[in-house]
Amino acid sequence: MKIKVINPNTTEAMTQSIKHAALLVAEDGTTIEAVSPRMGPVSIESHYDEALASLGVLDEIRRGEDEGTDSYVIACFGDPGLDAARELTSAPVLGIAEAAFHAASFTGRSFGIVTTLSRTLGRARDLVDAYGFSKLCVSYAACEIPVLALENDPQTCYRKLETESKKVLAESGADSIVLGCAGMAGMCQRLTEALHVPVIDGVEAAVSLAQALVRMKIRTSTTGEFALPPAKPGVGLLQPFTLDGADS
């Protein structure tokens, strides 16, 4: 099977780190294609960044449909463009936040989220609520690490991440930690060993679940909300996103 892992930002070094994490759980016979969009922000740290990144994600979904992709993973903790992506394909599309929450729910009664910047905690709360995990998520914390610092100064970032994670465990009693950024994927195993609790990386969780869905031949419903969007022209910069073959 072919799984396309989309890093919604345009920083190639982070895309390669995400690919490495995906390959850790790739089974024999699974091909991982990790890509950055042809357009978008270099990092995603705000609602504005997410809005801009969503178009690049959708562009990659459309390209993947022409390439025979079996499943897609959106590798940003905000899950940008996830619902819209599910309208463009019947192949499974997984966001790493949603996948991580499901994985964490199998490890205990509660989990805490540790992410990069505090300004993104509202988005994390929104996703926890939307996905139905409000009773399980008992803590939200930020390390105040810019996303690109995860690539440029990983050792300093790891120390901050470990310190904040220990604080979350001590204060909330969480059974596991969910990492709130795809760029943290390479720190997952080291943190697990240091904290002695499950640490969930959404990239690995999403790729693992994607493989299971493809094996089970479970696809996205094409009726109702996730049917192909109705055809209508795009104007200006959106003209290339016109869905010529959409239902009218």
Side-chain angles (χ1 to χ4, degrees):
M1 75 180 74
K2 179 179 180 180
I3 298 178
K4 187 170 190 176
V5 181
I6 304 169
N7 169 21
N9 74 45
T10 55
T11 298
E12 182 60 29
M14 189 166 290
T15 301
Q16 292 306 309
S17 296
I18 290 169
K19 181 177 182 178
H20 177 74
L23 289 172
L24 291 176
V25 295
E27 301 170 352
D28 291 342
T30 296
T31 299
I32 299 293
E33 180 190 10
V35 299
S36 284
R38 294 181 288 187
M39 56 184 167
V42 296
S43 63
I44 300 173
E45 298 170 314
S46 66
H47 297 294
Y48 183 75
D49 290 341
E50 280 197 14
L52 293 179
S54 294
L55 285 178
V57 169
L58 299 180
D59 183 46
E60 288 298 335
I61 297 289
R62 295 199 307 172
R63 295 176 69 189
E65 289 300 278
D66 294 334
E67 299 163 355
T69 302
D70 295 298
S71 185
Y72 301 88
V73 169
I74 299 177
C76 170
F77 198 73
D79 291 353
L82 178 58
D83 287 341
R86 286 173 173 163
E87 291 181 322
L88 296 183
T89 176
S90 62
V93 185
L94 290 87
I96 64 169
E98 186 175 19
F101 300 160
H102 279 286
S105 74
F106 303 140
T107 68
R109 295 290 296 271
S110 62
F111 63 85
I113 297 172
V114 183
T115 188
T116 51
L117 300 176
S118 58
R119 68 174 296 156
T120 67
L121 291 176
R123 178 60 173 161
R125 291 178 186 275
D126 288 346
L127 292 179
V128 167
D129 290 344
Y131 297 149
F133 289 95
S134 298
K135 292 184 179 180
L136 277 72
C137 187
V138 296
S139 182
Y140 300 82
C143 300
E144 303 306 340
I145 299 170
V147 169
L148 294 184
L150 293 165
E151 292 295 320
N152 300 329
D153 190 5
Q155 294 307 314
T156 298
C157 292
Y158 174 82
R159 289 192 294 271
K160 290 182 179 181
L161 181 57
E162 181 179 336
T163 297
E164 198 63 39
S165 297
K166 286 180 177 178
K167 182 179 178 181
V168 165
L169 294 172
E171 295 181 355
S172 72
D175 293 318
S176 62
I177 295 291
V178 168
L179 300 180
C181 179
M184 295 175 174
M187 304 176 184
C188 184
Q189 187 57 46
R190 185 178 173 188
L191 273 173
T192 298
E193 294 171 357
L195 301 176
H196 307 293
V197 300
V199 178
I200 313 299
D201 161 43
V203 175
E204 294 181 38
V207 171
S208 297
L209 290 170
Q211 290 175 119
L213 291 171
V214 173
R215 287 197 308 271
M216 296 167 68
K217 296 181 171 56
I218 295 177
R219 302 179 69 79
T220 302
S221 175
T222 56
T223 62
E225 182 177 349
F226 291 129
L228 196 66
K232 61 188 67 174
V235 178
L237 294 176
L238 296 183
Q239 194 281 328
F241 290 87
T242 297
L243 299 178
D244 295 330
D247 296 332
S248 57

